[in-house]
Amino acid sequence: MASLTAPLSDTGNSALLGKVQYWFACFFAAGWTGIVCAGLGVQFISWEHPCPLCMVQRMFMLLAALGAGTIVRKGMTGTVTGRDYMTGWGLALVACVGGGFTAWRQTMLHILPGDEGYGAPVLGLHMYVWAWILFIASVVAIGIVLAFAHLTAAPAVPATGLHRPIGRIVLWFVGVVIAVNLVAVFLEEGFHWFLPDDPTRYEFFYQVGILG
């Protein structure tokens, strides 16, 4: 059995299709980060306060983005091993399964007839229902990628052209949104250990006396 750290075969169609997985990793990382941005937009534009389960879902989304981001980072160097691919997609898969369970849990809390749910619906569904759908879709997508990994995972990704600048943009995008989300959580939680189940204000500003 070939070593997991050894380069994958790069012959025939594999050399061509292998580039697809790099671009899919870029799309995957940027996509989940964009979804977190949408949540931040609802939070600050519609002035809705995310609950603890909402925040946990965001964390799993960003963890999924980081999983794909490891593949992007390795691809920027020009060489990606089988271990790199499996580590990245494995991390993303764990994140999507965990996030899917968290979104399912929040959905089940509001499944009874007459329950209006938490927050305002978006396109007819609450955000945690959308999150559940997207997490499950991502699990399926990762499964398809892994099933065809012998065709779509190539060891050589050119470190020139668009690969490197776009990869750098994606990683910076992920990093900046992680930082923004950390600040948003801190402002809502303040100096408490836990978020309240139904937050109604940004505790930090009240604790430091800016608001009162």
Side-chain angles (χ1 to χ4, degrees):
M1 182 179 293
S3 172
L4 294 178
T5 57
L8 302 171
S9 61
D10 194 11
T11 59
N13 291 333
S14 178
L16 177 63
L17 294 177
K19 312 305 183 294
V20 174
Q21 188 164 162
Y22 175 83
W23 290 115
F24 179 71
C26 289
F27 171 78
F28 192 94
W32 273 120
T33 307
I35 292 170
V36 175
C37 284
L40 289 168
V42 171
Q43 177 179 350
F44 292 112
I45 296 175
S46 300
W47 211 245
E48 293 188 8
H49 298 81
C51 68
L53 284 175
C54 298
M55 287 300 188
V56 171
Q57 289 167 59
R58 287 188 193 178
M59 293 176 185
F60 278 122
M61 291 173 183
L62 292 171
L63 182 60
L66 286 175
T70 61
I71 298 174
V72 175
R73 181 66 186 90
K74 293 297 295 186
M76 288 172 60
T77 66
T79 302
V80 189
T81 66
R83 183 183 295 276
D84 297 326
Y85 281 117
M86 286 188 285
T87 299
W89 292 127
L91 182 61
L93 183 60
V94 169
C96 289
V97 171
F101 176 79
T102 306
W104 171 85
R105 168 61 176 164
Q106 189 169 9
T107 301
M108 292 301 103
L109 289 175
H110 303 286
I111 199 66
L112 293 177
D115 192 319
E116 297 181 355
Y118 187 85
V122 177
L123 299 178
L125 296 176
H126 289 280
M127 293 192 67
Y128 45 84
V129 180
W130 281 116
W132 185 21
I133 294 172
L134 292 173
F135 277 125
I136 298 303
S138 293
V139 170
V140 173
I142 293 172
I144 293 173
V145 168
L146 294 178
F148 292 95
H150 60 292
L151 295 175
T152 62
V157 178
T160 58
L162 293 176
H163 291 76
R164 179 171 287 177
I166 291 182
R168 185 178 292 113
I169 291 172
V170 168
L171 295 180
W172 270 102
F173 181 39
V174 175
V176 168
V177 173
I178 288 175
V180 171
N181 195 64
L182 286 173
V183 172
V185 173
F186 175 70
L187 293 179
E188 188 174 21
E189 184 175 331
F191 297 103
H192 296 299
W193 284 107
F194 302 102
L195 276 173
D197 292 337
D198 189 10
T200 57
R201 64 183 189 178
Y202 291 93
E203 291 291 339
F204 172 79
F205 297 112
Y206 289 88
Q207 290 176 339
V208 298
I210 296 177
L211 298 173

